[in-house]
Amino acid sequence: MIRKQGAWGLWWLCVITFGIYYLVWYDRINDELAAFTGIERLAWTRWWSQLIPFYNLVGLHRTAKRLNDAHARVGSPTRVSPFVTWFWATGWFASQTRYLQRRINILADVQVSHQAGANVHA
């Protein structure tokens, strides 16, 4: 199940904890996306991958692509730009958390609406 979280609250938690919460969040969202898409987790999806220069950008790029796959799977028109995720968002006050979390929240809403629709028809 994909969990929603406030994008600004997430960003502030990352700032206040000097980036520690970012590592927790990154690991959690990749775990949720792996379960949702059925694709196994590789090294770039682990929290420690964000500590390795340049490899961390590869991980963000692939996380954005995995999020796109999840949106496509549920028929959502929402798309995530991998380039914006690792280039523009990271350079703009580490906004990749806000950028990705907003799109994760949309995925969570779509997932809930599909489950509610399935319960109505059952």
Side-chain angles (χ1 to χ4, degrees):
M1 181 75 161
I2 303 293
R3 282 192 286 167
K4 287 179 73 169
Q5 183 172 0
W8 278 103
L10 164 64
W11 187 83
W12 277 110
L13 269 172
C14 293
V15 169
I16 291 169
T17 62
F18 302 105
I20 301 298
Y21 189 74
Y22 171 74
L23 301 173
V24 172
W25 171 81
Y26 184 82
D27 197 65
R28 179 185 54 104
I29 66 161
N30 275 292
D31 190 43
E32 291 172 2
L33 288 171
F36 188 84
T37 59
I39 300 170
E40 70 176 290
R41 290 186 69 183
L42 301 174
W44 58 265
T45 67
R46 305 297 177 178
W47 66 268
W48 51 263
S49 72
Q50 292 301 290
L51 299 174
I52 303 169
F54 300 109
Y55 191 60
N56 60 343
L57 302 177
V58 170
L60 282 171
H61 182 90
R62 290 181 177 169
T63 297
K65 289 175 79 173
R66 182 174 275 185
L67 185 51
N68 276 334
D69 292 343
H71 275 284
R73 190 174 290 235
V74 296
S76 169
T78 301
R79 291 295 171 259
V80 181
S81 168
F83 180 72
V84 168
T85 301
W86 70 262
F87 185 77
W88 289 118
T90 54
W92 186 253
F93 302 105
S95 296
Q96 72 273 22
T97 53
R98 289 183 294 126
Y99 180 71
L100 289 174
Q101 188 61 53
R102 285 185 183 128
R103 279 118 190 113
I104 290 168
N105 289 346
I106 293 168
L107 181 63
D109 289 340
V110 170
Q111 184 181 23
V112 167
S113 70
H114 282 214
Q115 289 174 344
N119 290 339
V120 169
H121 298 296

